[in-house]
Every structure is written in C-alpha cells, then in structure tokens.
Amino acid sequence: LGIASLIAETVYLILLVALGLPIEFFPAFFTKVIPAALYAVCIAVLVFPLVTKFLRRAMKTEPNTVKRIA
C-alpha cells in the first residue's frame, strides 16, 4: 500500500509538471507526495484491523452469504 500510494502520488505530480503547472518537482515531492503516502499508510494501519474484525463478525452471523471456492 505504501509503495502504491507513493507511485500514484508521484505519477500525479509528474502529470502536473508535464501539463505545465508552475510546480518545482523536488520541493513538491518532499512536501506533498511523501506526506500523502505516509498518511495513506497510517490510515490503512488504523482502519484495516477494524474492517477485518467487522467482516469476521459478519461472516459468523451470516455464513451462507459468501461461499469459498477452494
């Protein structure tokens, strides 16, 4: 997730620079791209356990809603 977020933000920055916006690449990379990627990772670390707990509880109450193929 961290690498994907970093890549997506970097591609977005490159697109903005390529379109001619007056943005300097390296300052924007260190002040926008890296913090956005770190934020996404922190949110994922906090939300993922809650989502898995909720889904696990939902699977116990309604076991026939999702069937395993394996």
Side-chain angles (χ1 to χ4, degrees):
L1 177 68
I3 300 297
S5 178
L6 189 64
I7 291 171
E9 294 290 334
T10 304
V11 168
Y12 182 65
L13 177 61
I14 291 170
L15 180 66
L16 290 178
V17 170
L19 288 174
L21 276 103
I23 300 172
E24 293 184 28
F25 183 81
F26 288 108
F29 184 80
F30 291 116
T31 60
K32 305 291 186 222
V33 173
I34 292 177
L38 289 174
Y39 178 77
V41 169
C42 290
I43 292 297
V45 167
L46 294 174
V47 171
F48 182 76
L50 296 173
V51 171
T52 56
K53 184 177 180 181
F54 174 75
L55 291 177
R56 202 173 298 134
R57 187 179 302 154
M59 291 291 287
K60 287 180 183 177
T61 58
E62 300 176 21
N64 293 330
T65 58
V66 178
K67 296 181 180 180
R68 296 182 114 171
I69 294 176

